[in-house]
Amino acid sequence: MQVANTLEKGKVWLVGAGPGDLELLTVKAARLIAAADALVYDHLVGDGIVDLARPDARRIYVGKESARHTLPQKSINKLLVDLAREGLSVVRLKGGDPLIFGRGGEELEILAGCGIPFEVVPGITAAAGCGAYSGFPLTHREHAHAVTFVTGHRKDGNLDLDWSALARPGHTVVFYMGIGAATDICRQMIAHGLPAETPAAVVRNGTLADQQTLLATLATLPQRIKASDIKPPALIVVGSVVRLHEQLSWFEHAPNTNPALQTAMAQQS
Ligand code: SAH
């Protein structure tokens, strides 16, 4: 693979780091990370991924856990512009796909407005990663003809979503950032017509060695979440595809053959 110092200067690459498992990075993402002068990354980007950077690369953590923004978005935007204007090749790394609930679009608008050249490298979004590693095909001819990704993050305490559009049969709905609003989500989905026994699940740390899947129904999910004390990052998946987990789950209890995961597990024990 071509690496080292071949990137254009004064340019920003907005790169998706995938959902966690190092091996789910794209080849292009790995090449850019290894070649960049500066790396600006969020908290959902795994350590192993940042370690691919050149030893002399500038590594700048800009955080972002929902309650604790390490750097406000405006300062992140300014940082990207400043680094590019300094003449560096900059990789802006975000968890999953940079343009799905990542505010990547806002960062691109600023770069475009400032005349800074950029490229975008898509990544595997958490829903795709969690679906694959938990054994939920997000669409399936007998279960779901559509899938919707929606944010469960409340603005000013309100979860103002188009509930009747979401609570349709034959539909998988994946809520990002929805753990804190699980009670509301389940209540609204039932109130807008889905049966209380509709399968619903939470996947935490999807694709990572400690991935956890909680299976429930719309009626029981909030209680299950409380009882398990599950924390973000986690997705809520609603729809009958969740039932397929029982048959198609291959990852959580399988013997581990992935070298990156083996290393992560050894470090944890
Ligand atoms: N751009 C990212 C999403 C950023 S929003 C993407 O495309 O995946 C952050 C939310 O994504 C988290 O609160 C959680 O809901 C979800 N998420 C990210 N990584 C996850 C993972 N490994 N397992 C489960 N959910 C994850």
Side-chain angles (χ1 to χ4, degrees), residues 19 44 95-97 100-102 125-126 130 176-177 203-206 233-235:
L44 283 175
D97 181 274
I100 296 188
F101 304 126
T125 190
C130 292
Y176 285 66
M177 300 170 277
V203 185
R204 172 170 199 265
N205 275 347
L235 293 178

Side-chain angles (χ1 to χ4, degrees), residues 18-21 43-44 66 94-103 123-127 130 175-179 203-208 211 232-236:
D21 180 353
H43 95 109
L44 283 175
S66 55
K94 285 174 172 285
D97 181 274
L99 299 180
I100 296 188
F101 304 126
R103 302 188 73 170
I124 295 179
T125 190
C130 292
F175 292 89
Y176 285 66
M177 300 170 277
I179 290 299
V203 185
R204 172 170 199 265
N205 275 347
T207 80
L208 290 167
Q211 170 177 310
L235 293 178
I236 296 177

Side-chain angles (χ1 to χ4, degrees), residues 175-241:
F175 292 89
Y176 285 66
M177 300 170 277
I179 290 299
T183 304
D184 243 19
I185 288 172
C186 293
R187 188 175 49 79
Q188 293 279 20
M189 294 294 265
I190 295 170
H192 287 80
L194 282 187
E197 57 281 4
T198 303
V202 169
V203 185
R204 172 170 199 265
N205 275 347
T207 80
L208 290 167
D210 59 350
Q211 170 177 310
Q212 242 179 308
T213 302
L214 255 182
L215 295 178
T217 63
L218 284 176
T220 58
L221 192 70
Q223 192 45 42
R224 293 289 317 276
I225 291 176
K226 266 188 207 125
S228 69
D229 196 29
I230 210 156
K231 300 246 160 29
L235 293 178
I236 296 177
V237 184
V238 177
S240 74
V241 293

Side-chain angles (χ1 to χ4, degrees), residues 26-82:
T26 60
V27 173
K28 187 162 186 174
R31 175 176 68 79
L32 292 168
I33 295 165
D37 296 323
L39 211 67
V40 178
Y41 63 101
D42 287 349
H43 95 109
L44 283 175
V45 174
D47 291 345
I49 292 173
V50 174
D51 291 344
L52 299 175
R54 285 188 349 230
D56 62 326
R58 253 192 256 175
R59 294 154 203 234
I60 305 166
Y61 173 73
V62 292
K64 266 215 195 151
E65 284 155 82
S66 55
R68 191 174 63 84
H69 283 210
T70 304
L71 251 199
Q73 187 65 44
K74 270 198 175 149
S75 315
I76 297 175
N77 299 343
K78 181 172 181 310
L79 175 69
L80 295 176
V81 171
D82 289 348

